[in-house]
Amino acid sequence: MTITVEPGDPRVPAATALLQQSHALMQELFPAESNHYLSIDDLCVLSVHFFVVRVNSDIRGCAALAVKGGYGELKSMFVDPAARGLKLGQHLLDHIDLAARNLGLPMICLETGDALKAAHKLYENQGYTYRGPFGGYPDDPISLFMEKQL
């Protein structure tokens, strides 16, 4: 089995399907005002670096690094449920870290939902720590905010 992380295009059908699956899950778990995912079009702008993780040649996960004023923000992190347990999320986060460092960003921030316990554990294991709201996010009790200093 070969696992690779590479730049991707959110409009490629396999990536779009993962993003739609992620959006559907977020809509199922959280009220609309607590969903802060980017649309596929918003993931295609120059300030967003979108990556896919492949198992052999199949796209099985994705994540994006949005470059903000003075930091990066992790967005659209999702792994195909059928591929969970292969540490694909860890591969994606390692690649996001490298991309952020190469861009000279001092830290990566993220917002995630309180019900996503497996994601919280993954982020904690990758060195993310909890913090308060950042950017334009409201102080929403459903949202958890994390950061990783690079």
Side-chain angles (χ1 to χ4, degrees):
M1 174 175 56
T2 304
I3 297 173
T4 56
V5 180
E6 60 192 36
D9 182 343
R11 296 167 293 209
V12 169
T16 299
L18 284 172
L19 291 165
Q20 289 171 336
Q21 194 174 359
S22 173
H23 296 172
L25 177 63
M26 297 307 108
Q27 291 167 1
E28 177 184 318
L29 293 175
F30 307 110
E33 65 275 7
S34 295
N35 276 313
H36 305 288
Y37 55 79
L38 296 178
S39 71
I40 292 169
D41 287 339
D42 289 338
L43 289 167
C44 295
V45 300
L46 291 177
S47 61
V48 175
H49 303 265
F50 185 79
F51 301 98
V52 296
V53 61
R54 292 179 183 268
V55 176
N56 300 322
S57 61
D58 298 324
I59 294 174
R60 302 306 294 268
C62 60
L65 176 66
V67 178
K68 305 287 185 169
Y71 65 94
E73 183 179 355
L74 179 66
K75 299 293 289 182
S76 301
M77 175 89 169
F78 188 76
V79 171
D80 179 351
R84 302 237 168 109
L86 299 176
K87 303 213 180 279
L88 302 183
Q90 183 177 334
H91 285 279
L92 281 164
L93 289 175
D94 288 344
H95 198 83
I96 292 284
D97 281 5
L98 180 62
R101 288 176 199 278
N102 288 340
L103 290 166
L105 299 172
M107 75 175 163
I108 302 171
C109 298
L110 66 86
E111 178 275 337
T112 189
D114 63 351
L116 302 172
K117 304 296 185 200
H120 307 160
K121 185 170 178 67
L122 172 64
Y123 299 140
E124 289 168 1
N125 288 341
Q126 289 291 112
Y128 284 81
T129 57
Y130 292 94
R131 59 161 294 151
F134 63 92
Y137 288 105
D139 191 3
D140 181 346
I142 292 174
S143 291
L144 297 178
F145 303 94
M146 301 179 86
E147 72 180 21
K148 180 177 184 178
Q149 298 293 325
L150 299 176

